[in-house]
Amino acid sequence: TKPDQALQQRAAYGDDFADASAAALYAGGLKDRTVSIVTMPGADGDTVSALGAQVEEAGGAVAGTYDVQRTLTDVSEKSLVDTLGSQLATQLGSGAVGGDVSTYVRIGQLLGLAVAGSDLPGSDAASVRESLAGAELLTSPHGAVRAPVVLLVLGRHTDPTILSGVVSGLAAKATGLVVVGTSGSATTSGDLGVLRGDPAVEQAATVDGVETPLGQVTAVLALIRSLTVQGGSFGAAGSDGAVPSP
C-alpha cells in the first residue's frame, strides 16, 4: 500500500543519511580509543561486524569481541556462576569486586574487569578471562586486551535478573557502557525495554534499532558520549531522543 511504501522510504532515507553522514557525525570521536564488544547469546553476527566497522569509522579500534555463553545466562547454572564468581573474587583480593553483591552483579563486575577495567594488572585480567572460558561462561579472542568503553550487544531473551546484574556489574567497571538491541527488544517486555525501566542499570546507555545502519551509527555516537557522560536512552524508542547530542 502507499502508506507502507512511504514508511519504507522514510526508513531507507534514515539509513542512507546515517551511512553518508557517519564520519562527519563522529568527528573522530573515538580516535586513538579502543572498544570492547561483548555479545549476549543469540546476538546477530552481521550486526556485530557492522558495529565494529562503525567503531573504526569513528577513528577507534575493537580491542576484542567477547561472547557470553549460554551457561552464564542459564538460570539452572546459577550455582556454577555463583561458586566461580566467589572463588575469583577471593583470589583477586579485597576491593576488586564488591563484597556484598548478588551472583550476577558479581559475575558482571568480573566480566568488566576482564574486558574493560584498569583496576587489575593485565595478568590478573587474563586469568579471569581464562577462568570464565574454562567454565564455558565466556569466549575471548586470542591476545585480547582491555578497553575503557564497552559495547554490549543483546541477542535472545535473557532472564531480567541475570541481565540486570550483568549490565550493572559491567557498568561499575567500565568507563562507559552502551547496551544495544533490536527495535523489537525495546518493547516494554523486551530485554532493552526492561533494562530501561531498571534504576539499577542507569549508568548504562541504551540504543534500540541496532539492526539498521541508523541504529548502528547511533550506538557509536553513544559510545563517544560514554567517554564523558554515562547513561541515556536513545533510538526510535529512546526517552532521551533519537540520537545523543554531540
Side-chain angles (χ1 to χ4, degrees):
T1 64
K2 289 183 178 180
D4 287 341
Q5 288 176 341
L7 286 172
Q8 290 170 358
Q9 287 174 342
R10 282 199 291 271
Y13 171 77
D15 288 338
D16 290 345
F17 176 81
D19 277 334
S21 307
L25 291 170
Y26 298 150
L30 291 179
K31 181 176 172 56
D32 300 325
R33 301 279 190 172
T34 55
V35 176
S36 287
I37 297 179
V38 177
T39 70
M40 295 299 284
D44 181 73
D46 290 341
T47 297
V48 174
S49 296
L51 287 164
Q54 290 296 339
V55 167
E56 294 176 0
E57 183 79 4
V62 177
T65 300
Y66 305 85
D67 301 321
V68 171
Q69 299 300 291
R70 292 183 63 182
T71 306
L72 193 151
T73 61
D74 186 340
V75 176
S76 68
E77 298 288 357
K78 181 178 180 180
S79 178
L80 166 65
V81 175
D82 188 62
T83 299
L84 179 65
S86 296
Q87 290 173 347
L88 287 173
T90 300
Q91 290 171 16
L92 293 175
S94 176
V97 177
D100 191 24
V101 295
S102 67
T103 297
Y104 292 101
V105 172
R106 183 192 300 116
I107 208 70
Q109 289 187 8
L110 288 164
L111 181 59
L113 290 171
V115 308
S118 58
D119 299 345
L120 292 180
S123 58
D124 285 351
S127 178
V128 172
R129 289 195 295 269
E130 289 170 6
S131 295
L132 294 174
E136 299 184 347
L137 302 184
L138 183 75
T139 61
S140 304
H142 179 70
V145 295
R146 291 170 292 176
V149 292
V150 177
L151 183 64
L152 179 67
V153 186
L154 299 179
R156 289 188 297 273
H157 174 68
T158 300
D159 177 271
T161 300
I162 295 174
L163 184 60
S164 174
V166 169
V167 170
S168 61
L170 255 175
K173 298 300 180 182
T175 298
L177 172 64
V178 178
V179 183
V180 300
T182 63
S183 300
S185 73
T187 62
T188 53
S189 60
D191 283 3
L192 205 59
V194 171
L195 283 176
R196 284 172 166 171
D198 186 349
V201 296
E202 62 185 6
Q203 281 185 289
T206 58
V207 175
D208 60 75
V210 78
E211 74 278 11
T212 67
L214 183 57
Q216 292 153 15
V217 171
T218 302
V220 174
L221 290 171
L223 279 173
I224 295 169
R225 179 180 182 271
S226 77
L227 290 165
T228 53
V229 181
Q230 284 67 53
S233 171
F234 306 103
S239 59
D240 294 314
V243 180
S245 300

